[in-house]
Amino acid sequence: MTDETTGTENGAGTEGTAGQGEGRRVRVVLVDDHRMFRAGVQAEIGGTESTGVEVVGEAADVDQAVTVITTTRPEVVLLDVHLPGGGGVEVLRRCASLMTAAEDQVRFLALSVSDAAEDVIGVIRGGARGYVTKTITGTDLIASIFRVQEGDAVFSPRLAGFVLDAFASTDAPPVDEDLDRLTQREREVLRLIARGYAYKEIAKQLFISVKTVESHVSAVLRKLQLSNRHELTRWATARRLV
């Protein structure tokens, strides 16, 4: 597995579990719409005495996230990119003032199943300090949390490449107005449709119903003024979203 913090294979693990034996502490909020995933992360990193990570709150959608983050003022937020209510970008937008606060500054680390360039660039544009995927190990995730707490930016090498490419030629990344009309979940469904997945396969992968997949596809077609999945695939391929 690629080390998300150093770019070496399992390299972060050589540093040991961050916080252990050093008396370091970091207060963290988990934001993810899958309860079982939050429980898994909590079990993996939440042993405060051994890891130094104290999970002070959880949230499953944008409104809950803003409320919990504002109330608890954690040092680091583990933020899923795809959330009900507008996605991780909406959480970042509504918590912008907390990221620049002189005291009790809140920093965000995206933790997502997606490794798509537009997702990475979207949350970095929104103010996140890093982006790691859900394939990361518990030890590497803890190390990433502490690095973000200290002000470092944390990316796997491939994801860092997306950011460098996006910011290399212009001061601001180009905005795709058509793509921006879609919610994060609609973009995720779009990408899977374009890759040739059946509705049932998409539903299983995203932990949603087939009916919900159909609803998202209809919304995507309507917003992009397309007629069928073949046109949708061509549209996504032209934008290198597949």
Side-chain angles (χ1 to χ4, degrees):
M1 178 179 295
T2 300
D3 165 30
E4 301 282 0
T5 64
T6 66
T8 59
E9 295 297 319
N10 293 324
T14 62
E15 297 176 0
T17 302
Q20 187 173 16
E22 302 174 11
R24 301 165 67 194
R25 289 287 187 271
V26 57
R27 301 172 70 252
V28 172
V29 162
L30 305 178
V31 180
D32 194 292
D33 59 336
H34 294 142
R35 183 182 58 80
M36 290 184 65
F37 179 78
R38 295 200 309 274
V41 173
Q42 170 79 276
E44 190 74 21
I45 71 173
T48 308
E49 293 305 314
S50 60
T51 67
V53 176
E54 180 185 4
V55 178
V56 297
E58 298 182 16
D61 59 31
V62 169
D63 288 341
Q64 286 181 14
V66 173
T67 298
V68 171
I69 293 166
T70 303
T71 302
T72 62
R73 296 296 290 261
E75 292 159 283
V76 177
V77 177
L78 287 181
L79 179 66
D80 193 8
V81 174
H82 303 292
L83 291 170
V89 171
E90 179 64 14
V91 176
L92 292 165
R93 187 187 69 79
R94 291 167 61 178
C95 293
S97 62
L98 303 181
M99 290 186 275
T100 57
E103 297 182 356
D104 300 328
Q105 186 179 40
V106 180
R107 294 186 170 99
F108 290 78
L109 173 63
L111 175 61
S112 175
V113 70
S114 171
D115 61 357
E118 70 270 18
D119 288 335
V120 178
I121 295 167
V123 295
I124 298 308
R125 183 193 294 163
R129 295 292 304 175
Y131 194 120
V132 295
T133 63
K134 290 181 177 178
T135 59
I136 193 171
T137 66
T139 300
D140 288 351
L141 180 58
I142 293 167
S144 298
I145 291 169
F146 275 95
R147 288 188 59 185
V148 167
Q149 178 201 30
E150 293 166 355
D152 289 347
V154 179
F155 301 94
S156 67
R158 179 166 179 266
L159 303 188
F162 293 154
V163 178
L164 289 174
D165 289 344
F167 287 87
S169 58
T170 59
D171 292 333
V175 175
D176 188 325
E177 294 183 356
D178 290 334
L179 190 61
D180 281 353
R181 292 193 188 101
L182 307 183
T183 66
Q184 293 293 333
R185 181 63 88 187
E186 288 168 352
R187 294 184 191 190
E188 200 166 27
V189 171
L190 161 67
R191 190 179 306 109
L192 293 174
I193 285 288
R195 289 176 178 174
Y197 284 80
Y199 285 7
K200 285 185 178 178
E201 294 172 318
I202 296 172
K204 183 177 181 180
Q205 184 160 334
L206 299 181
F207 302 100
I208 57 180
S209 69
V210 172
K211 188 174 182 179
T212 301
V213 174
E214 293 172 348
S215 177
H216 285 311
V217 172
S218 295
V220 170
L221 292 174
R222 184 180 67 256
K223 290 181 178 180
L224 300 181
Q225 298 184 338
L226 300 175
S227 301
N228 53 56
R229 64 181 298 165
H230 300 295
E231 291 184 1
L232 187 151
T233 299
R234 286 198 295 272
W235 188 93
T237 302
R239 283 166 168 77
R240 300 181 179 179
L241 300 178
V242 180

